[in-house]
Amino acid sequence: CIPEWKSLGVDVVQVFSDGEGGKYVQDAFAADKRLADPSKVGVLLCGQKPMAEAVKALMAEAGVDAGAILTNF
């Protein structure tokens, strides 16, 4: 699915906290803010509620609409 999204021009950023080089999503976003146009951003968060809340706050600060952020809870 991800290769297909990328072929359509979607910038997919996967972040995993487990394994070698693991990091937290909120830290990855804070280090790499590539939101040229927040109105074209969609976020799908799956994980722990504290992580999702932290990322939602960062996205709001960056100008992403709350309705463009989906979570698993």
Side-chain angles (χ1 to χ4, degrees):
C1 185
I2 292 174
E4 186 177 327
W5 289 349
K6 288 183 176 183
S7 74
L8 297 170
V10 176
D11 185 15
V12 177
V13 179
Q14 292 180 283
V15 180
F16 302 94
S17 58
D18 290 338
E20 187 175 325
K23 56 186 164 183
Y24 293 116
V25 173
Q26 58 272 37
D27 297 333
F29 178 73
D32 181 17
K33 295 184 179 182
R34 294 187 283 164
L35 302 182
D37 185 353
S39 70
K40 294 182 179 181
V41 171
V43 180
L44 175 60
L45 296 168
C46 181
Q48 301 295 318
K49 190 169 184 172
M51 174 276 299
E53 294 299 326
V55 173
K56 286 168 70 174
L58 287 168
M59 292 295 156
E61 288 175 20
V64 176
D65 185 86
I69 303 171
L70 305 175
T71 64
N72 65 315
F73 52 86

